[in-house]
Amino acid sequence: MRKMFFVATLLLSFNLQAAERLMFGINPGTAAGKEDQWMLRDSFQPLADYIGKAAGVPVRTDITQNFKSIDEHSGKGRYDLLLAPTNVIGRALLDAGFIPVAKFKDLHATLLVSEQSPYKTVASLRNSRIGMLSRATLMGALSADLLNKQGLLLSKDFQRVQEIRFQDTLVSLLLKNSVDVIAISHEAATKALRDNPGKLRILANTDPVPGFAIALSKDMPQAQAKKITEALLSMGDNASGKAALSVASAGGSVGVTRLFKANSAEYAKVMALISASQKLYPPPENN
């Protein structure tokens, strides 16, 4: 009897300890896909430790570039916190009630043309040749939405539509005059302009949308959620916070030293935009 009591006590102690930690699901995006898992874990551990210090409990990380896996685990209540791209945060909000509280920088897509291009407005692109990222991606959906707002449908108003996986390839196609316009991320467009002075110009930018974010489970105790949120939003105000953020490369961004306040409404809005864009012009099944 005494032995059974001892075992039961051990099990109860283990369960209490297991509950006294937070699980942090992290999807750093495809930009980090080639990095070693141990390197990724090391880069996000300072952020996890910083959150744990604020929450008063250890934080364990689960890092993956598998978008489907992170979605499924979010819906099954595996994570207390989630750091992921816009669309994953949006789905976690809609499907599992995760609450985005702190975001990295906002994102938008950019249309680039050659410096000597005759195209001066988005509407004038009718019957042109366009190269873009997959419509299944956030940048692709934003680009399709911008074109649609100017009365252009990818399915019927362009001479040719090329969907390319790599942004540097799209830039090369534009420089070679193989396409008339490309739609890429603003970050990639800025780099292209810097690398090719006098050869390219921006035709238009989409409206910004929220980017990578950290969201909290709806089941997290309110007091704990408040502590974590306050800690995240004040990271840029102290050296240890800046150091932890600077090595956490979400979406390939490096050197980030501040997070910004996020809210559920902006992520719900961008999910509605993505849904409308894909219904208007569904991405191919193999994208």
Side-chain angles (χ1 to χ4, degrees), residues 65-131:
Q65 282 90 39
N66 186 317
F67 287 78
K68 184 177 181 181
S69 173
I70 207 98
D71 276 341
E72 290 176 348
H73 288 162
S74 300
K76 293 177 181 177
R78 175 171 178 174
Y79 302 131
D80 301 291
L81 303 97
L82 179 65
L83 187 160
T86 304
N87 57 330
V88 177
I89 292 293
R91 281 198 293 267
L93 163 68
L94 299 177
D95 298 340
F98 272 78
I99 303 169
V101 296
K103 63 181 178 178
F104 290 71
K105 63 182 179 180
D106 287 347
L107 305 172
H108 59 272
T110 295
L111 299 186
L112 275 187
V113 295
S114 66
E115 180 61 41
Q116 305 304 320
S117 171
Y119 301 104
K120 304 298 182 184
T121 65
V122 175
S124 70
L125 290 171
R126 191 177 303 275
N127 296 321
S128 67
R129 303 164 299 166
I130 187 171

Side-chain angles (χ1 to χ4, degrees), residues 246-266:
S246 66
V247 295
S249 56
S253 298
V254 293
V256 175
T257 58
R258 181 174 294 278
L259 296 176
F260 303 93
K261 186 176 181 180
N263 63 74
S264 298
E266 60 182 345

Side-chain angles (χ1 to χ4, degrees), residues 158-174:
F158 289 86
Q159 185 183 136
R160 185 170 74 245
V161 177
Q162 289 182 258
E163 293 185 56
I164 306 293
R165 181 179 178 184
F166 300 107
Q167 300 190 88
D168 55 352
T169 302
L170 286 167
V171 174
S172 295
L173 289 175
L174 182 58

Side-chain angles (χ1 to χ4, degrees), residues 50 231-239 241-242 245 257-259:
Y50 192 91
L232 290 171
L233 296 178
S234 62
M235 289 187 76
D237 299 332
N238 60 81
K242 287 182 178 180
L245 274 177
T257 58
R258 181 174 294 278
L259 296 176

Side-chain angles (χ1 to χ4, degrees), residues 208-219:
V209 297
F212 275 73
I214 297 175
L216 308 182
S217 169
K218 60 180 174 51
D219 299 321

Side-chain angles (χ1 to χ4, degrees), residues 3-258:
K3 185 176 181 180
M4 290 179 63
F5 177 77
F6 178 71
V7 171
T9 303
L10 282 178
L11 289 174
L12 178 60
S13 175
F14 175 79
N15 287 334
L16 286 173
Q17 290 176 17
E20 292 176 353
R21 64 104 174 96
L22 298 175
M23 179 62 78
F24 190 10
I26 298 173
N27 186 310
T30 55
K34 294 183 180 180
E35 293 187 33
D36 181 86
Q37 285 296 314
W38 288 109
M39 291 177 62
L40 283 174
R41 192 172 300 279
D42 288 345
S43 71
F44 284 99
Q45 194 57 51
L47 175 59
D49 292 341
Y50 192 91
I51 292 171
K53 184 177 180 180
V57 293
V59 175
R60 179 181 173 187
T61 59
D62 179 24
I63 303 176
T64 177
Q65 282 90 39
N66 186 317
F67 287 78
K68 184 177 181 181
S69 173
I70 207 98
D71 276 341
E72 290 176 348
H73 288 162
S74 300
K76 293 177 181 177
R78 175 171 178 174
Y79 302 131
D80 301 291
L81 303 97
L82 179 65
L83 187 160
T86 304
N87 57 330
V88 177
I89 292 293
R91 281 198 293 267
L93 163 68
L94 299 177
D95 298 340
F98 272 78
I99 303 169
V101 296
K103 63 181 178 178
F104 290 71
K105 63 182 179 180
D106 287 347
L107 305 172
H108 59 272
T110 295
L111 299 186
L112 275 187
V113 295
S114 66
E115 180 61 41
Q116 305 304 320
S117 171
Y119 301 104
K120 304 298 182 184
T121 65
V122 175
S124 70
L125 290 171
R126 191 177 303 275
N127 296 321
S128 67
R129 303 164 299 166
I130 187 171
M132 59 184 291
L133 293 172
S134 167
R135 289 159 282 168
T137 66
L138 174 61
M139 289 299 114
L142 290 177
S143 302
D145 178 69
L146 172 63
L147 294 169
N148 179 53
K149 288 176 178 176
Q150 295 296 318
L152 300 176
L153 288 177
L154 287 167
S155 55
K156 71 182 186 68
D157 292 320
F158 289 86
Q159 185 183 136
R160 185 170 74 245
V161 177
Q162 289 182 258
E163 293 185 56
I164 306 293
R165 181 179 178 184
F166 300 107
Q167 300 190 88
D168 55 352
T169 302
L170 286 167
V171 174
S172 295
L173 289 175
L174 182 58
L175 290 169
K176 294 176 182 176
N177 197 35
S178 297
V179 294
D180 301 306
V181 59
I182 59 173
I184 57 179
S185 72
H186 183 69
E187 187 175 56
T190 299
K191 182 179 184 301
L193 291 169
R194 184 175 63 246
D195 293 345
N196 302 278
K199 295 182 179 180
L200 304 171
R201 61 179 167 85
I202 294 176
L203 182 67
N205 290 306
T206 67
D207 291 333
V209 297
F212 275 73
I214 297 175
L216 308 182
S217 169
K218 60 180 174 51
D219 299 321
M220 181 177 289
Q222 186 174 357
Q224 190 175 63
K226 182 179 180 181
K227 287 181 181 179
I228 292 175
T229 299
E230 290 176 349
L232 290 171
L233 296 178
S234 62
M235 289 187 76
D237 299 332
N238 60 81
S240 60
K242 287 182 178 180
L245 274 177
S246 66
V247 295
S249 56
S253 298
V254 293
V256 175
T257 58
R258 181 174 294 278

